[in-house]
mmCIF file with all atom_site columns, all heavy atoms in Angstrom:
data_model
loop_
_atom_site.group_PDB
_atom_site.id
_atom_site.type_symbol
_atom_site.label_atom_id
_atom_site.label_alt_id
_atom_site.label_comp_id
_atom_site.label_asym_id
_atom_site.label_entity_id
_atom_site.label_seq_id
_atom_site.pdbx_PDB_ins_code
_atom_site.Cartn_x
_atom_site.Cartn_y
_atom_site.Cartn_z
_atom_site.occupancy
_atom_site.B_iso_or_equiv
_atom_site.pdbx_formal_charge
_atom_site.auth_seq_id
_atom_site.auth_comp_id
_atom_site.auth_asym_id
_atom_site.auth_atom_id
_atom_site.pdbx_PDB_model_num
ATOM 1  N N   . TYR A 1 54  ? 112.943 -83.069 15.625 1.00 0.00 ? 54  TYR A N   1
ATOM 2  C CA  . TYR A 1 54  ? 112.076 -82.842 16.682 1.00 0.00 ? 54  TYR A CA  1
ATOM 3  C C   . TYR A 1 54  ? 110.750 -83.513 16.538 1.00 0.00 ? 54  TYR A C   1
ATOM 4  O O   . TYR A 1 54  ? 110.245 -84.174 17.420 1.00 0.00 ? 54  TYR A O   1
ATOM 5  C CB  . TYR A 1 54  ? 111.849 -81.359 16.949 1.00 0.00 ? 54  TYR A CB  1
ATOM 6  C CG  . TYR A 1 54  ? 110.877 -81.036 18.084 1.00 0.00 ? 54  TYR A CG  1
ATOM 7  C CD1 . TYR A 1 54  ? 111.266 -81.288 19.402 1.00 0.00 ? 54  TYR A CD1 1
ATOM 8  C CD2 . TYR A 1 54  ? 109.642 -80.546 17.849 1.00 0.00 ? 54  TYR A CD2 1
ATOM 9  C CE1 . TYR A 1 54  ? 110.368 -81.075 20.434 1.00 0.00 ? 54  TYR A CE1 1
ATOM 10 C CE2 . TYR A 1 54  ? 108.744 -80.290 18.829 1.00 0.00 ? 54  TYR A CE2 1
ATOM 11 C CZ  . TYR A 1 54  ? 109.116 -80.585 20.147 1.00 0.00 ? 54  TYR A CZ  1
ATOM 12 O OH  . TYR A 1 54  ? 108.221 -80.312 21.180 1.00 0.00 ? 54  TYR A OH  1
ATOM 13 N N   . VAL A 1 229 ? 106.924 -76.567 14.692 1.00 0.00 ? 229 VAL A N   1
ATOM 14 C CA  . VAL A 1 229 ? 108.066 -76.348 15.589 1.00 0.00 ? 229 VAL A CA  1
ATOM 15 C C   . VAL A 1 229 ? 109.290 -77.071 15.091 1.00 0.00 ? 229 VAL A C   1
ATOM 16 O O   . VAL A 1 229 ? 109.272 -78.264 14.813 1.00 0.00 ? 229 VAL A O   1
ATOM 17 C CB  . VAL A 1 229 ? 107.721 -76.794 17.017 1.00 0.00 ? 229 VAL A CB  1
ATOM 18 C CG1 . VAL A 1 229 ? 108.876 -76.643 17.999 1.00 0.00 ? 229 VAL A CG1 1
ATOM 19 C CG2 . VAL A 1 229 ? 106.496 -76.061 17.541 1.00 0.00 ? 229 VAL A CG2 1
ATOM 20 N N   . THR A 1 232 ? 112.732 -77.564 20.519 1.00 0.00 ? 232 THR A N   1
ATOM 21 C CA  . THR A 1 232 ? 112.551 -76.798 21.752 1.00 0.00 ? 232 THR A CA  1
ATOM 22 C C   . THR A 1 232 ? 113.863 -76.143 22.150 1.00 0.00 ? 232 THR A C   1
ATOM 23 O O   . THR A 1 232 ? 113.886 -75.264 23.024 1.00 0.00 ? 232 THR A O   1
ATOM 24 C CB  . THR A 1 232 ? 112.034 -77.679 22.830 1.00 0.00 ? 232 THR A CB  1
ATOM 25 O OG1 . THR A 1 232 ? 112.926 -78.826 23.019 1.00 0.00 ? 232 THR A OG1 1
ATOM 26 C CG2 . THR A 1 232 ? 110.627 -78.175 22.541 1.00 0.00 ? 232 THR A CG2 1
ATOM 27 N N   . GLU A 1 266 ? 111.873 -67.742 16.081 1.00 0.00 ? 266 GLU A N   1
ATOM 28 C CA  . GLU A 1 266 ? 111.077 -67.097 17.183 1.00 0.00 ? 266 GLU A CA  1
ATOM 29 C C   . GLU A 1 266 ? 110.793 -68.150 18.162 1.00 0.00 ? 266 GLU A C   1
ATOM 30 O O   . GLU A 1 266 ? 110.258 -69.190 17.885 1.00 0.00 ? 266 GLU A O   1
ATOM 31 C CB  . GLU A 1 266 ? 109.774 -66.503 16.581 1.00 0.00 ? 266 GLU A CB  1
ATOM 32 C CG  . GLU A 1 266 ? 108.948 -65.878 17.687 1.00 0.00 ? 266 GLU A CG  1
ATOM 33 C CD  . GLU A 1 266 ? 107.659 -65.309 17.143 1.00 0.00 ? 266 GLU A CD  1
ATOM 34 O OE1 . GLU A 1 266 ? 107.553 -65.149 15.882 1.00 0.00 ? 266 GLU A OE1 1
ATOM 35 O OE2 . GLU A 1 266 ? 106.791 -65.022 17.942 1.00 0.00 ? 266 GLU A OE2 1
ATOM 36 N N   . GLU A 1 267 ? 111.145 -67.805 19.477 1.00 0.00 ? 267 GLU A N   1
ATOM 37 C CA  . GLU A 1 267 ? 110.865 -68.790 20.549 1.00 0.00 ? 267 GLU A CA  1
ATOM 38 C C   . GLU A 1 267 ? 109.476 -68.614 21.055 1.00 0.00 ? 267 GLU A C   1
ATOM 39 O O   . GLU A 1 267 ? 108.998 -67.493 21.317 1.00 0.00 ? 267 GLU A O   1
ATOM 40 C CB  . GLU A 1 267 ? 111.908 -68.601 21.690 1.00 0.00 ? 267 GLU A CB  1
ATOM 41 C CG  . GLU A 1 267 ? 111.788 -69.608 22.750 1.00 0.00 ? 267 GLU A CG  1
ATOM 42 C CD  . GLU A 1 267 ? 112.870 -69.504 23.795 1.00 0.00 ? 267 GLU A CD  1
ATOM 43 O OE1 . GLU A 1 267 ? 113.590 -68.488 23.802 1.00 0.00 ? 267 GLU A OE1 1
ATOM 44 O OE2 . GLU A 1 267 ? 113.086 -70.418 24.625 1.00 0.00 ? 267 GLU A OE2 1
ATOM 45 N N   . THR A 1 268 ? 108.775 -69.731 21.168 1.00 0.00 ? 268 THR A N   1
ATOM 46 C CA  . THR A 1 268 ? 107.367 -69.736 21.680 1.00 0.00 ? 268 THR A CA  1
ATOM 47 C C   . THR A 1 268 ? 107.320 -70.784 22.837 1.00 0.00 ? 268 THR A C   1
ATOM 48 O O   . THR A 1 268 ? 108.254 -71.519 23.036 1.00 0.00 ? 268 THR A O   1
ATOM 49 C CB  . THR A 1 268 ? 106.344 -70.169 20.624 1.00 0.00 ? 268 THR A CB  1
ATOM 50 O OG1 . THR A 1 268 ? 106.539 -71.571 20.292 1.00 0.00 ? 268 THR A OG1 1
ATOM 51 C CG2 . THR A 1 268 ? 106.592 -69.337 19.329 1.00 0.00 ? 268 THR A CG2 1
ATOM 52 N N   . PRO A 1 269 ? 106.250 -70.809 23.574 1.00 0.00 ? 269 PRO A N   1
ATOM 53 C CA  . PRO A 1 269 ? 106.137 -71.793 24.626 1.00 0.00 ? 269 PRO A CA  1
ATOM 54 C C   . PRO A 1 269 ? 106.276 -73.261 24.105 1.00 0.00 ? 269 PRO A C   1
ATOM 55 O O   . PRO A 1 269 ? 106.732 -74.169 24.820 1.00 0.00 ? 269 PRO A O   1
ATOM 56 C CB  . PRO A 1 269 ? 104.728 -71.577 25.211 1.00 0.00 ? 269 PRO A CB  1
ATOM 57 C CG  . PRO A 1 269 ? 104.520 -70.120 24.909 1.00 0.00 ? 269 PRO A CG  1
ATOM 58 C CD  . PRO A 1 269 ? 105.111 -69.855 23.589 1.00 0.00 ? 269 PRO A CD  1
ATOM 59 N N   . GLU A 1 270 ? 105.908 -73.500 22.816 1.00 0.00 ? 270 GLU A N   1
ATOM 60 C CA  . GLU A 1 270 ? 106.085 -74.836 22.296 1.00 0.00 ? 270 GLU A CA  1
ATOM 61 C C   . GLU A 1 270 ? 107.398 -75.119 21.751 1.00 0.00 ? 270 GLU A C   1
ATOM 62 O O   . GLU A 1 270 ? 107.800 -76.278 21.522 1.00 0.00 ? 270 GLU A O   1
ATOM 63 C CB  . GLU A 1 270 ? 105.015 -74.987 21.130 1.00 0.00 ? 270 GLU A CB  1
ATOM 64 C CG  . GLU A 1 270 ? 103.577 -75.011 21.564 1.00 0.00 ? 270 GLU A CG  1
ATOM 65 C CD  . GLU A 1 270 ? 103.078 -73.560 21.867 1.00 0.00 ? 270 GLU A CD  1
ATOM 66 O OE1 . GLU A 1 270 ? 103.637 -72.599 21.338 1.00 0.00 ? 270 GLU A OE1 1
ATOM 67 O OE2 . GLU A 1 270 ? 102.104 -73.436 22.590 1.00 0.00 ? 270 GLU A OE2 1
ATOM 68 N N   . GLY A 1 271 ? 108.191 -74.115 21.419 1.00 0.00 ? 271 GLY A N   1
ATOM 69 C CA  . GLY A 1 271 ? 109.510 -74.308 20.846 1.00 0.00 ? 271 GLY A CA  1
ATOM 70 C C   . GLY A 1 271 ? 109.822 -73.212 19.828 1.00 0.00 ? 271 GLY A C   1
ATOM 71 O O   . GLY A 1 271 ? 109.127 -72.238 19.728 1.00 0.00 ? 271 GLY A O   1
ATOM 72 N N   . PHE A 1 272 ? 110.878 -73.457 19.018 1.00 0.00 ? 272 PHE A N   1
ATOM 73 C CA  . PHE A 1 272 ? 111.274 -72.459 18.046 1.00 0.00 ? 272 PHE A CA  1
ATOM 74 C C   . PHE A 1 272 ? 110.494 -72.654 16.688 1.00 0.00 ? 272 PHE A C   1
ATOM 75 O O   . PHE A 1 272 ? 110.483 -73.724 16.176 1.00 0.00 ? 272 PHE A O   1
ATOM 76 C CB  . PHE A 1 272 ? 112.746 -72.516 17.783 1.00 0.00 ? 272 PHE A CB  1
ATOM 77 C CG  . PHE A 1 272 ? 113.611 -71.967 18.881 1.00 0.00 ? 272 PHE A CG  1
ATOM 78 C CD1 . PHE A 1 272 ? 114.026 -72.747 19.985 1.00 0.00 ? 272 PHE A CD1 1
ATOM 79 C CD2 . PHE A 1 272 ? 113.917 -70.588 18.924 1.00 0.00 ? 272 PHE A CD2 1
ATOM 80 C CE1 . PHE A 1 272 ? 114.744 -72.197 21.008 1.00 0.00 ? 272 PHE A CE1 1
ATOM 81 C CE2 . PHE A 1 272 ? 114.618 -70.032 19.906 1.00 0.00 ? 272 PHE A CE2 1
ATOM 82 C CZ  . PHE A 1 272 ? 115.073 -70.840 20.999 1.00 0.00 ? 272 PHE A CZ  1
ATOM 83 N N   . ILE A 1 273 ? 109.911 -71.555 16.279 1.00 0.00 ? 273 ILE A N   1
ATOM 84 C CA  . ILE A 1 273 ? 109.171 -71.566 15.024 1.00 0.00 ? 273 ILE A CA  1
ATOM 85 C C   . ILE A 1 273 ? 109.874 -70.602 14.025 1.00 0.00 ? 273 ILE A C   1
ATOM 86 O O   . ILE A 1 273 ? 110.826 -69.909 14.392 1.00 0.00 ? 273 ILE A O   1
ATOM 87 C CB  . ILE A 1 273 ? 107.701 -71.149 15.206 1.00 0.00 ? 273 ILE A CB  1
ATOM 88 C CG1 . ILE A 1 273 ? 107.636 -69.677 15.633 1.00 0.00 ? 273 ILE A CG1 1
ATOM 89 C CG2 . ILE A 1 273 ? 107.018 -72.072 16.236 1.00 0.00 ? 273 ILE A CG2 1
ATOM 90 C CD1 . ILE A 1 273 ? 106.191 -69.140 15.716 1.00 0.00 ? 273 ILE A CD1 1
#
Side-chain angles (χ1 to χ4, degrees):
Y54 177 71
V229 175
T232 55
E266 178 180 347
E267 188 173 11
T268 71
E270 293 77 24
F272 284 91
I273 65 172

